[in-house]
Amino acid sequence: MRQKSVLVSGAGIAGPALAYWLQHWGFEPVLIERAAQFREGGYMIDFWGVGFDVAERMNLIPQLRDVGYLIDRVKFVDERGRTRSGFNVEMLRRAVGDRFFSLPRGDLARVIFDTVADKIETIFGDSITAIHESPDGVDVQFEQGDARRFDLVAGCDGLHSAVRQIAWGQEKEFEKYLGYYCASFITANYPHREERAYTSYAEPGRQISRYALRGGRTALFFMFARGQPLSRSPDQAYAKAILREKFEHDRWTEAPEILQRLETCDDLYFDSVSQIRIPSWSKGRIVLVGDAAYCPSLLAGEGAGFALAGAYLLAGELQRASGDHVVAYRAYEERFRAFIERKQKSARQFATSFTPKTRLGLFVRDLVLRLTAFPPVSDWLMRRFVIDRFELPDYSG
């Protein structure tokens, strides 16, 4: 093996998955995460497709099903909580052969991280500040620890990747803002609770959703349109103020209590709905995986799955190339990029349907959702937005 030591930045989904596969193929990954400890939480994601295929090869599906949820119904309600429209999630499960469930993003990350937690060196509470490449390695400087040398560096550190900023340049050069922001938090003992249902209330350009979790908890999710991105990343107080301003006039009977609970939450997720489009996913010995390279936005529905797939492909190509990063990085991108770009395009087209900006748009969305009761319509939607056409290679040979 020509290159063995790999610094993997980011302990979300892509990072631990890449570390797992690198170690599986005989490499020596080191995982670094700027947070002081493993980060729990995150919004609910649907899990299927190519990510499900990778998790299956990691033998994780039984564990993920244990922490996951089966949501039976997605519905939109009026201000009094009466159902306006919705669809049966069974059509999704039927389309992908029952290889579909939902779970909080943090629970998925935790299950993946646990596969490597006691097997590889993991550094919490530190971050990369500089990367200097030479013909025979990469010298990396850290905010806290001493400088170290590695053969390769992989940036798996998300939409706001520090590795990408150091090696490629400012985020604004590669971020495609899709015109929306989202936020999420978890609260306990919320009185309005429906098991196995995802319930949303929408006004033009914004919506609030809720879904029941185990242990008497409820997850709340906000999404709203904004013409221009914020000039800076907001702190918790500023993010709460933005959400109050956007949603305080909603007519839904649950809105006042949701906003009251927002005031006391201490772990609010808040971010733009954006994509990353970058000319090349690698530069020299440095490579990007997951949202750092090709964030499709939450509108694609499979960002976590694409992170898993990218990690699997990159490690597999490095193994196949006996550690030759030039060959492996090129093969990784050539194999996956066209598929990702199709998914990004689909997400952009879906944006206005997810949170319509006019009452006419809301009416049309409700009409389409009602039509999903007819198999020809639901089958078309599944082919258009859900079913993946990507076959993972087998690197075991």
Side-chain angles (χ1 to χ4, degrees):
M1 198 74 71
R2 292 170 55 183
Q3 319 282 354
K4 292 202 70 172
S5 64
V6 185
L7 178 63
V8 179
S9 176
I13 291 173
L18 179 60
Y20 171 90
W21 287 109
L22 286 172
Q23 188 193 49
H24 177 79
W25 295 123
F27 293 88
E28 299 169 0
V30 173
L31 190 62
I32 184 169
E33 166 59 47
R34 63 183 175 182
Q37 58 188 8
F38 185 84
R39 290 184 286 191
E40 308 281 356
Y43 52 84
M44 184 76 82
I45 62 172
D46 296 324
F47 194 63
W48 82 94
V50 67
F52 192 108
D53 296 341
V54 174
E56 193 168 50
R57 296 189 183 191
M58 298 171 73
N59 299 313
L60 295 181
I61 296 302
Q63 292 171 259
L64 293 176
R65 285 195 186 276
D66 285 345
V67 299
Y69 295 81
L70 292 177
I71 294 175
D72 295 330
R73 180 89 179 150
V74 174
K75 64 177 185 176
F76 288 88
V77 299
D78 65 14
E79 59 271 16
R80 295 184 181 180
R82 298 170 299 194
T83 300
R84 292 169 51 103
S85 65
F87 63 90
N88 193 326
V89 179
E90 179 58 31
M91 71 177 186
L92 295 173
R93 289 195 278 268
R94 186 175 63 246
V96 295
D98 202 33
R99 297 164 66 83
F100 179 100
F101 52 86
S102 305
L103 76 169
R105 186 181 181 92
D107 288 354
L108 172 61
R110 166 60 76 181
V111 169
I112 299 169
F113 176 72
D114 285 348
T115 65
V116 296
D118 58 351
K119 298 177 181 177
I120 66 169
E121 180 184 357
T122 303
I123 304 166
F124 282 103
D126 206 348
S127 58
I128 298 171
T129 58
I131 302 172
H132 303 286
E133 184 175 343
S134 65
D136 58 349
V138 185
D139 294 307
V140 181
Q141 294 179 334
F142 303 96
E143 186 175 6
Q144 303 292 336
D146 294 334
R148 294 173 61 175
R149 165 162 283 222
F150 299 89
D151 293 320
L152 306 172
V153 172
C156 305
D157 43 353
L159 173 63
H160 308 296
S161 168
V163 171
R164 188 185 62 235
Q165 180 162 313
I166 291 169
W168 275 261
Q170 293 296 313
E171 184 174 297
K172 64 182 179 180
E173 300 296 323
F174 312 110
E175 180 185 7
K176 172 62 177 177
Y177 174 62
L178 298 187
Y180 297 88
Y181 275 82
C182 64
S184 180
F185 72 96
I186 294 173
T187 188
N189 302 316
Y190 184 70
H192 309 283
R193 184 177 178 88
E194 297 171 90
E195 303 293 340
R196 300 179 69 141
Y198 187 98
T199 302
S200 297
Y201 172 80
E203 295 274 4
R206 62 187 186 272
Q207 70 182 48
I208 307 176
S209 305
R210 61 167 166 79
Y211 41 92
L213 301 176
R214 298 181 186 92
R217 299 172 302 147
T218 297
L220 295 157
F221 180 80
F222 304 80
M223 187 162 173
F224 64 91
R226 181 183 172 92
Q228 297 297 322
L230 297 168
S231 58
R232 62 181 176 87
S233 180
D235 59 22
Q236 294 272 295
Y238 184 30
K240 290 179 180 180
I242 292 171
L243 292 171
R244 279 198 308 272
E245 179 185 356
K246 287 291 181 181
F247 292 93
E248 64 184 354
H249 300 298
D250 278 14
R251 297 173 296 169
W252 191 21
T253 54
E254 294 185 32
E257 180 163 2
I258 290 173
L259 292 178
Q260 184 179 9
R261 287 171 177 260
L262 170 68
E263 293 302 315
T264 58
C265 84
D266 57 6
D267 190 21
L268 176 67
Y269 168 85
F270 185 98
D271 209 345
S272 64
V273 178
S274 299
Q275 293 182 341
I276 293 297
R277 300 185 218 163
I278 194 167
S280 176
W281 298 347
S282 63
K283 179 177 286 189
R285 293 174 176 268
I286 307 167
V287 64
L288 302 174
V289 185
D291 284 355
Y294 44 77
C295 177
S297 84
L298 63 85
L299 297 174
E302 290 184 87
F306 300 157
L308 275 166
Y312 172 83
L313 293 168
L314 174 59
E317 294 297 341
L318 279 166
Q319 182 269 150
R320 179 173 284 177
S322 299
D324 186 334
H325 67 281
V326 175
V327 173
Y329 289 179
R330 181 172 62 244
Y332 151 66
E333 186 164 349
E334 287 177 349
R335 188 180 290 277
F336 204 36
R337 187 174 189 113
F339 172 79
I340 287 292
E341 289 180 346
R342 289 195 300 271
K343 290 294 185 176
Q344 287 183 323
K345 180 180 179 181
S346 179
R348 294 193 296 273
Q349 294 171 340
F350 181 59
T352 55
S353 300
F354 191 84
T355 306
K357 297 179 180 179
T358 65
R359 296 212 173 271
L360 176 60
L362 291 172
F363 172 80
V364 171
R365 184 191 63 187
D366 288 340
L367 178 61
V368 171
L369 290 178
R370 294 187 193 109
L371 289 174
T372 60
F374 298 96
V377 176
S378 62
D379 290 347
W380 178 83
L381 287 171
M382 295 304 99
R383 290 193 302 270
R384 182 72 178 81
F385 293 108
V386 175
I387 297 175
D388 289 342
R389 292 178 174 83
F390 186 90
E391 185 174 349
L392 293 172
D394 182 1
Y395 293 108
S396 61

